[in-house]
Amino acid sequence: MKLLAGICAAGQSRRMGFDKLSTPPSLHSPDTLLRRAVSAAHGLPFVVALPAESHPYHRARRDLLRPHDPCLMVENAEAGLSATLKALARYALDRDVDGLAILMADMPFITASHVETLVTLFETFGGTRIVRAQCQSGRLGYPVIFPAALLPEFETLSGDEGVQGLLERHGVKRMEMPSESPCLHVNTPEDWRQM
């Protein structure tokens, strides 16, 4: 089965006041959130969605990637997460994949093992069902893998709504993970300090 991991890294980091994806969290942890997300996609072909080249965070994020790492520019990233998701869906459809795994670059504790577990579940259902990580507490998180047949519906997304409407419309097979990692976003300065 041919899958693509789409890494959402075009966000504006408005609540942080600095580029959370390209800044190492500490001297003791020099790896950035973006590099961690790329590591989590290990084993799958992937693409990193970045803000437009004119955006002040574009260069720092692009410089963290290897020269051969595929990326796409989301020209209207300020429109919200939906713009990134639409761009990733179009990219995946152009490559004739069976499914698109959505990873959020601001989730530092997602690992390749989480992704592999979801891929196995996706393949178990023959690539026909949405599969999503669930935290130990029962909350739904990321990654989420979408069948290719649903990707055209990403064009209906708007703002920061994300994929919630699609998930409600089509249902989701959940895979419980043995931690809260699939639900831990770094969105605020307080999240950053706790990381």
Side-chain angles (χ1 to χ4, degrees):
M1 195 161 285
K2 186 178 173 185
L3 297 178
L4 174 74
I7 301 172
C8 298
Q12 311 295 297
S13 296
R14 286 187 192 103
R15 287 178 275 183
M16 295 298 284
F18 63 92
D19 184 11
K20 65 184 178 183
L21 299 184
S22 65
T23 303
S26 75
L27 293 174
H28 305 290
S29 180
D31 211 5
T32 64
L33 296 182
L34 181 53
R35 286 298 317 151
R36 288 182 186 191
V38 170
S39 293
H42 178 74
L44 285 180
F46 69 90
V47 62
V48 180
L50 295 173
E53 291 183 12
S54 59
H55 192 278
Y57 295 157
H58 171 85
R59 176 54 42 207
R61 292 178 188 179
R62 182 66 187 106
D63 287 349
L64 288 172
L65 303 175
R66 295 167 298 190
H68 62 277
D69 286 342
C71 59
L72 62 89
M73 304 326 138
V74 182
E75 296 301 326
N76 59 338
E78 68 283 347
L81 178 59
S82 63
T84 299
L85 295 171
K86 289 176 187 180
L88 288 170
R90 290 181 203 123
Y91 184 94
L93 286 168
D94 286 347
R95 278 142 189 87
D96 197 29
V97 299
D98 298 303
L100 173 64
I102 301 292
L103 285 78
M104 298 296 172
D106 64 353
M107 300 184 76
F109 305 111
I110 298 297
T111 66
S113 177
H114 293 112
V115 176
E116 289 166 12
T117 299
L118 287 172
V119 167
T120 300
L121 182 62
F122 185 76
E123 291 174 342
T124 298
F125 288 101
T128 62
R129 299 297 306 270
I130 300 169
V131 298
R132 186 173 195 180
Q134 176 180 301
C135 299
Q136 222 170 8
S137 63
R139 293 183 304 147
L140 294 175
Y142 285 88
V144 182
I145 305 178
F146 289 89
L150 299 182
L151 297 181
E153 293 187 40
F154 277 49
E155 292 299 327
T156 66
L157 303 177
S158 62
D160 271 328
E161 165 195 333
V163 294
Q164 196 56 41
L166 289 176
L167 298 172
E168 290 169 3
R169 204 163 38 253
H170 294 285
V172 61
K173 292 294 182 184
R174 303 172 184 196
M175 173 58 75
E176 184 175 328
M177 303 293 174
S179 71
E180 292 301 298
S181 297
C183 296
L184 297 176
H185 287 265
V186 178
N187 287 324
T188 66
E190 181 59 28
D191 296 338
W192 185 265
R193 282 189 292 277
Q194 290 179 4
M195 184 178 61

